[in-house]
Amino acid sequence: MNYKKYWPFVAVIVFAIVVVGGIFAFKKLTAPIDNGSTSVDESVPDLPQSQWPIVELIPSSDGHYVSLNVTGINVPTATSMDYILEYKANNGVGQTTQGVPGTIQLNGQTGVSRDSILLGSESSGHIRFDSGVETGQLTLRFRDGNGKLLGKVVSDWHLQTNTTDLSSVDGSFKYTLSKAATGVWFITIKPFGTPSSPNLVVNQNGYAIYSSDGKPHAGSSN
């Protein structure tokens, strides 16, 4: 039997198999890898004013850490609070956005705290402080026992030192110190409620200023 006359058909079939196989291989190689880290864009409503907690964000004496205190929590069925502290830093490679997330179980408490949140990173016991940190955003999200998001509050914060002109990120609130406070760090943030922290400098026009030293700092607001 003369098999040569079938060679063109065999060649076409082999070529088709190669092409189809190549297409599937290309799709597999270029498909995004699902490693379980894909974030889900969850729509979270803002908490109504009647459920606003009191937020205190207090800088450390060196400005490399902040402590978060949340009191007056009044979110029905909430069993946990997620927080994410985002900020902009400049570590010599241009400005980047960093984030420190965490979750705190409420266990029926109306007040929780997280001390010494690092504005930087830690690996194998080595701590690296981020530099150029001035502005950021704090987001608190409340969840029920099933993990359902119930609501959130969001506030920008402004970290400053060695200046007499303190202000909110958007500049709508300004506080001028009567005299310079050398080596003292300040954070301006919307507290939502009425704070009572010993680190509170002033609470006016919907904004609070917290100091690292817990001492009075006289001044005037705009």
Side-chain angles (χ1 to χ4, degrees):
M1 181 180 291
N2 185 8
Y3 294 101
K4 292 184 178 181
K5 65 179 180 179
Y6 296 106
W7 285 1
F9 300 103
V10 173
V12 170
I13 294 173
V14 171
F15 178 76
I17 292 173
V18 171
V19 171
V20 173
I23 292 174
F24 278 105
F26 178 78
K27 286 184 177 180
K28 185 175 182 180
L29 289 172
T30 57
I33 299 174
D34 183 5
N35 57 9
S37 63
T38 305
S39 61
V40 177
D41 184 17
E42 298 175 286
S43 178
V44 189
D46 293 328
L47 286 178
Q49 187 171 351
S50 61
Q51 295 180 13
W52 282 357
I54 301 169
V55 177
E56 299 172 352
L57 194 62
I58 302 167
S60 63
S61 59
D62 59 8
H64 293 311
Y65 299 85
V66 297
S67 292
L68 172 65
N69 300 322
V70 183
T71 59
I73 297 173
N74 180 32
V75 184
T77 72
T79 62
S80 65
M81 182 191 77
D82 300 336
Y83 68 84
I84 180 166
L85 189 75
E86 297 176 290
Y87 58 90
K88 295 179 180 179
N90 193 331
N91 295 314
V93 293
Q95 193 174 70
T96 59
T97 299
Q98 308 294 330
V100 184
T103 298
I104 301 176
Q105 299 301 318
L106 299 180
N107 297 321
Q109 303 173 92
T110 59
V112 293
S113 63
R114 185 59 53 89
D115 295 330
S116 301
I117 299 173
L118 173 64
L119 303 179
S121 60
E122 182 176 3
S123 177
S124 301
H126 177 70
I127 296 176
R128 180 184 62 82
F129 300 123
D130 284 328
S131 61
V133 179
E134 293 184 7
T135 61
Q137 187 176 79
L138 173 68
T139 303
L140 305 179
R141 296 184 176 93
F142 295 88
R143 297 177 183 268
D144 65 15
N146 296 318
K148 179 183 177 181
L149 286 162
L150 304 172
K152 72 178 187 300
V153 291
V154 182
S155 183
D156 294 330
W157 53 273
H158 192 185
L159 176 67
Q160 297 176 272
T161 190
N162 297 328
T163 181
T164 57
D165 298 320
L166 308 178
S167 65
S168 59
V169 172
D170 61 7
S172 62
F173 175 70
K174 297 179 181 180
Y175 186 79
T176 303
L177 298 173
S178 299
K179 62 178 182 179
T182 305
V184 180
W185 292 81
F186 300 90
I187 283 183
T188 305
I189 189 172
K190 184 178 180 181
F192 298 103
T194 303
S196 58
S197 168
N199 296 79
L200 179 66
V201 175
V202 64
N203 180 33
Q204 293 180 0
N205 303 334
Y207 288 93
I209 296 178
Y210 301 100
S211 69
S212 61
D213 63 354
K215 297 179 179 180
H217 293 276
S220 58
S221 60
N222 62 341

